[in-house]
Amino acid sequence: MGIIIAGERSGVGKTTITLALLSWLTRLGKSIQSFKVGPDYIDPMFHTAITGNGCRNLDPILTSPDYVKWCFDYYTQDKDIAIVEGVMGLFDGVPNSQNAHYGSTAYIAKLLNLSVILTLDCSKISSSISAIASGYINFDPEVKIVGVILNKVASEKHLSLLRIGLEKLNIPIMGVWFKHQKIELPSRHLGLIPTEEVTQHQKIFQQLGELAKQNINWQLLNKYLYSEKSTKKVDYFLGNNYHKYPLKIAIAKDKSFNFYYQDNLDILKYLGIELIEVSPLGDKNLPSDIHGIYLGGGFPEIFALQLSENKSFQMNIKKKIENGIPTYAECGGMMYLSAGIEDFRGDKWEMVGVLPHFTVMSNKLTIGYRQVKTLITNDFININQTLMGHEFHRAVDSFQPIPYQIDKLSAPMLEFQDYYSQKIISYQGWQRYNVFASYLHLHFGKLIPQLETFLQGCLSWRNRAKSKL
């Protein structure tokens, strides 16, 4: 069951069309499970805001093919419809020895046996669209491209030329989007602005739903949306034998910190964790009875002024970290724990200061999968482990940890290699307190042993706190 909305390349309108489909089907009262191929955070926020069901990432590089299959089967078993938004171009993945397009939208389509709807950018082209479509359709016959959606069509005359070009391919046109129907989704340096900051997002969703109602050939598409699904019951991948941890972990959730994989949160809850949402923007203190801290990514650089002004929260979290509470921080979370942030204008803002570096915003985008070697043992990792993660940021550090530095506090925790080239890119993280912090985004689906190490550390913290009472 289900379809994938793919694109010939990035920027052809996959996200807009996916959101439109989700909006209209939700208005029809359908129960929908959405997915996003790859390590995206922001697009899934929009999916979730529309459907009310947490969007799931399908990423075999960060997890595994088996995990991807389980994830899809588990979360679609009680839903009417499954819609997957692809990543980049249809065949854009990371080549390895088993597959030249590993992790791509095409790879996921074959892995899950899903039908592909290919989105084509029709601007600046007419009948020649047939050559582009033919290339995608015939490149890999195992990828089931069952229809196309024509986007950025200039006029009815332009559409007639596109139809003539596609006639010989015998490929159904499942939708047509005209240029004048474009709805702008606000964006900035890392892509779309998250839903928490878009005050009019429900109005935008309503407009997108109306466009989907008008522009999609639902008679053709419904054949693939409502295909037969398995009746076999799928259990949670961890089973019932895992230890449950009666712990409370504070998790930063506000406009400045909201980059979290839904699976990560659900895995923690499955293991017995009570996640206590806190706001570094608005709260004055952390709860007194927490046993760990989770600082996800986000946009601390956008809210640096407000974060820096909330001295009470900064002092409180600093004191807890200096007292040894286990703390896990990704990207924006690490930026918050640094000495400060220099924003795009060059203004400097003081942050928590438990880490020694200053974060400087840059116009250069750092992005890619990383294979990471651990250099130390702490409350999250053991030495000489290999982690798979993803970097996505425009921040750089005022200085980096130096490998094998005599000063242990300034020696790095992690050695970063590019996943594809295997070249060493950087050293990250400082051996400070019980903090695991770097630019690395991790998916817990492949890191249960590391996660349990972290939770054991939180358990030890809780027991020490109890003994002092």
Side-chain angles (χ1 to χ4, degrees), residues 75 98 105 126 137 148 174 193 210 234 243 246 318 320 335 342 371 374 423 432 439 468:
Y75 289 106
Q98 284 78 43
T105 304
S126 59
I137 292 166
V148 296
M174 292 195 172
I193 294 177
E210 284 297 321
V234 181
H243 179 75
K318 183 176 183 180
K320 281 192 177 292
M335 294 165 64
E342 180 179 323
Q371 183 170 295
T374 61
K423 291 181 179 179
R432 301 269 170 125
Y439 286 112
K468 293 178 181 179

Side-chain angles (χ1 to χ4, degrees), residues 161-176:
L161 295 173
L162 294 167
R163 289 187 186 278
I164 291 170
L166 292 170
E167 275 179 1
K168 64 175 64 176
L169 298 181
N170 196 30
I171 184 78
I173 297 174
M174 292 195 172
V176 177

Side-chain angles (χ1 to χ4, degrees), residues 358-374:
F358 212 87
T359 304
V360 180
M361 298 310 298
S362 163
N363 289 325
K364 180 182 178 182
L365 177 64
T366 299
I367 184 172
Y369 289 104
R370 304 291 183 245
Q371 183 170 295
V372 175
K373 177 183 176 183
T374 61

Side-chain angles (χ1 to χ4, degrees), residues 361-390:
M361 298 310 298
S362 163
N363 289 325
K364 180 182 178 182
L365 177 64
T366 299
I367 184 172
Y369 289 104
R370 304 291 183 245
Q371 183 170 295
V372 175
K373 177 183 176 183
T374 61
L375 304 177
I376 69 163
T377 295
N378 70 3
D379 269 352
F380 189 79
I381 53 173
N382 292 312
I383 194 169
N384 291 327
Q385 291 181 331
T386 299
L387 310 177
M388 286 302 307
H390 187 265

Side-chain angles (χ1 to χ4, degrees), residues 347-364:
D347 296 327
K348 296 183 179 181
W349 309 99
E350 191 174 282
M351 293 293 127
V352 175
V354 293
L355 301 179
H357 69 292
F358 212 87
T359 304
V360 180
M361 298 310 298
S362 163
N363 289 325
K364 180 182 178 182

Side-chain angles (χ1 to χ4, degrees), residues 84-156:
V84 182
E85 180 186 344
V87 63
M88 301 178 65
L90 177 59
F91 296 99
D92 294 329
V94 182
N96 63 19
S97 57
Q98 284 78 43
N99 192 293
H101 313 288
Y102 189 64
S104 68
T105 304
Y107 178 88
I108 296 297
K110 290 199 291 185
L111 181 70
L112 301 177
N113 192 30
L114 296 177
S115 300
V116 175
I117 313 297
L118 183 64
T119 305
L120 298 169
D121 181 349
C122 301
S123 61
K124 302 178 183 178
I125 199 169
S126 59
S127 302
S128 296
I129 199 73
S130 59
I132 296 173
S134 176
Y136 279 91
I137 292 166
N138 296 308
F139 183 76
D140 185 347
E142 292 182 8
V143 178
K144 299 184 299 183
I145 300 177
V146 298
V148 296
I149 291 177
L150 307 181
N151 194 20
K152 302 180 184 178
V153 179
S155 63
E156 289 292 344

